């Protein structure tokens, strides 16, 4: 059965527009030091075509926002090869223009999309142990930056790791 007076139909009434630019540079200014830098710019939007669908109500349409991706992203990595082929690794990331909609309070007015930005730093090392076996250790999110991609669900704070890796 159905409830009298209520019906719905899913209709794709929007076109997603995605444009961007990505630039990457890698340099080895001296044999034991490598520097990588990447920058990305992403423009995304939804263009609604209500004129093409005269039976679709703009008032009753559930408007969605796009999944959370940064508008601007900058990532840099520096690797230093120490004696005995030990690697010291530094990574930094900055993302801005992250747009999301706070849906944690659906009845509250003003749960419109909002934007935010964040930056984080990671440190790590790789130590060769024996014939293809290496030990890795490091700290991610060194300064314990609070950030999230979905409201109410924060990404991990400062954390550390220790791994053994075997390459054959």
């Amino acid at each position: 059965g159905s409830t009298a007076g209520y019906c719905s139909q899913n209709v794709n009434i929007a076109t997603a527009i995605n444009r961007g630019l990505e630039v990457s540079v890698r340099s080895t200014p001296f044999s034991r030091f490598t520097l990588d830098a990447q920058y990305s710019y992403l423009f995304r939007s939804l263009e609604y075509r209500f004129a093409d669908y005269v039976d679709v109500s703009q008032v009753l349409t559930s408007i969605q926002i796009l999944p959370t991706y940064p508008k601007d992203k900058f990532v840099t990595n520096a690797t230093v090869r120490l004696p005995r082929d030990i690697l010291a690794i530094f990574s930094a990331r900055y993302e801005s223009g992250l747009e999301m909609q706070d849906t944690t309070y659906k009845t509250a007015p003003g749960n419109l999309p909002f934007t935010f930005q964040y930056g984080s730093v990671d440190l790590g090392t790789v130590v060769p142990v024996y014939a293809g076996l290496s030990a890795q250790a490091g700290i991610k999110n060194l300064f314990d930056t609070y950030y999230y991609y979905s409201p109410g669900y924060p990404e991990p704070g400062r954390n550390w790791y220790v791994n053994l890796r075997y390459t054959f």
Side-chain angles (χ1 to χ4, degrees):
S2 65
T3 305
Y6 292 94
C7 67
S8 66
Q9 177 183 7
N10 292 326
V11 178
N12 188 359
I13 58 172
T15 300
I17 309 244
N18 299 289
R19 295 182 192 119
L21 168 74
E22 189 167 293
V23 178
S24 179
V25 176
R26 182 179 183 114
S27 177
T28 305
F30 54 93
S31 64
R32 294 189 167 269
F33 179 72
T34 302
L35 181 64
D36 294 301
Q38 298 95 30
Y39 171 76
S40 300
Y41 170 78
L42 180 60
F43 171 80
R44 299 173 348 128
S45 67
L46 291 175
E47 289 187 2
Y48 289 92
R49 303 181 319 265
F50 288 108
D52 294 347
Y53 301 96
V54 293
D55 294 338
V56 174
S57 167
Q58 291 184 35
V59 175
L60 299 177
T61 298
S62 175
I63 303 294
Q64 299 294 318
I65 65 169
L66 294 163
T68 304
Y69 293 114
K71 185 174 185 179
D72 295 285
K73 178 170 72 170
F74 179 75
V75 178
T76 186
N77 299 297
T79 305
V80 178
R81 186 172 302 278
L82 302 170
R84 298 187 180 195
D85 286 333
I86 296 172
L87 298 178
I89 304 165
F90 167 85
S91 298
R93 169 186 300 268
Y94 172 76
E95 296 185 4
S96 69
L98 291 145
E99 185 175 294
M100 66 179 63
Q101 186 165 348
D102 186 353
T103 57
T104 54
Y105 303 102
K106 293 182 181 178
T107 58
N111 64 348
L112 300 172
F114 62 95
T115 60
F116 74 98
Q117 62 192 20
Y118 81 94
S120 67
V121 172
D122 303 337
L123 297 176
T125 187
V126 178
V127 178
V129 177
Y130 178 78
L133 182 66
S134 61
Q136 301 173 325
I139 300 173
K140 292 186 174 267
N141 198 356
L142 179 65
F143 299 112
D144 201 21
T145 301
Y146 180 75
Y147 66 99
Y148 45 92
Y149 293 110
S150 296
Y153 298 94
E155 294 298 310
R158 181 183 311 117
N159 60 84
W160 58 273
Y161 64 92
V162 175
N163 298 318
L164 284 177
R165 178 174 279 175
Y166 180 70
T167 306
F168 56 94

